[in-house]
Amino acid sequence: MPVRKSQSGRVGRGKGFGLGLAVGSAFAFGGSGVAAKPLIEAGLDPLHVVWLRVAGAALVMLPLAVRHRALLRERLALLAGFGLLGVAGVQAFYFASISRIPVGVALLVEYLAPALVLGWVRFVQRRPVTRAAAVGVILAVGGLACVVEVWAGLSFDALGLLLALGAACCQVGYFVLSDQGSDSGERAPDPLGVIAYGLLVGAAVLTVVARPWNMDWTVLAGTADMNGTPVSAGLLLAWIVLIATVVAYVTGVVSVRRLSPQVAGVVACLEAVVATVLAWFLLGEHLSAPQIVGGAVVLAGAFIAQSSAPARTSAEPVASGGPERELSAHGNVA
């Protein structure tokens, strides 16, 4: 009995630590918009800001890529998928969608990802999902609709909605691929190595899309206006690269491995709440009463989902990382 209690305590602490990392990741990701908007208003194209974000983070993580270069032989498909979906795909589809539909609508559609993750787990992997977890997702999505005030300026541009849905699907890929190695097996790829190569792949893809050689580089040498306060453009870029990308991705991927994709996906909905609150304080974009209520509902949904999602076993990783893991998931390999 003492042994069982000790193991239960370790699991509880691990889950609590994972939840803390997931919340930290949501805060880090949520702060990206507040820093990026002044740069865009100063004259940078949104895609150029995205390229600077991903390319800068890839440069920071480059030493880790060199250290984990064995991943190129062992998990090339995983690295390519994470870079294409979890890094480049989410960014490119989202920025393309907001050129056709309101930002709030695009954000809401993108954050259907937690519901899509539950659908993946339930119908593709045929694993059980509790009713409470499903209710948590519904609450989170409903609350998010209030946060972004989806009823204001809704536009049914079919292509724009499809692009936003593409961002949501790519975000599902981020959560599912982040779960690689969650069974703690010896072949589990190092999350820092996966992130490093994912950023390198994402930077390469975005270079083709954003065409940074056409960027107005002089903007980075000046200042940007943040609600009447001049702030160094270089400082804003440093925040976007180091905090909103490097720290955000590292804490996010590690949290998925300690929790599960469905739980981490719901907690990630806090990103929209964080972004809205920071915009209120730093950019002067005030919250309405429905937005405040919606933020509380998102928090409630995230809590319900994370406290009621079924525990997974080491034999049931959410996504397989290769032939060996695929067999293991079906019980054919010890």
Side-chain angles (χ1 to χ4, degrees), residues 123-259:
F123 298 107
V124 177
Q125 298 187 325
R126 300 184 182 279
R127 291 174 53 198
V129 174
T130 65
R131 289 183 180 179
V135 169
V137 170
I138 294 173
L139 285 175
V141 173
L144 194 59
C146 296
V147 170
V148 301
E149 294 186 329
V150 68
W151 54 84
L154 187 64
S155 175
F156 291 100
D157 183 298
L159 180 57
L161 291 175
L162 284 174
L163 290 169
L165 184 59
C169 292
C170 288
Q171 195 173 63
V172 172
Y174 163 74
F175 287 116
V176 172
L177 290 172
S178 295
D179 195 53
Q180 296 298 302
S182 58
D183 57 344
S184 301
E186 293 182 359
R187 296 187 180 91
D190 188 283
L192 296 181
V194 173
I195 295 169
Y197 279 105
L199 288 169
L200 286 172
V201 172
V205 173
L206 288 171
T207 297
V208 177
V209 176
R211 300 179 181 179
W213 48 86
N214 295 327
M215 182 171 56
D216 183 5
W217 293 88
T218 61
V219 173
L220 299 177
T223 60
D225 181 77
M226 180 176 282
N227 195 26
T229 302
V231 180
S232 168
L235 182 62
L236 291 174
L237 180 60
W239 174 274
I240 294 172
V241 170
L242 298 177
I243 304 300
T245 306
V246 174
V247 172
Y249 270 104
V250 170
T251 54
V253 170
V254 175
S255 72
V256 171
R257 295 193 177 189
R258 288 181 174 267
L259 298 171

Side-chain angles (χ1 to χ4, degrees), residues 19 136-137 139-140 263 266-270 297-307:
L19 180 60
V137 170
L139 285 175
V263 173
V266 172
V267 176
C269 286
L270 296 177
V297 174
V298 171
L299 289 171
F303 175 79
I304 291 172
Q306 74 86 20
S307 61

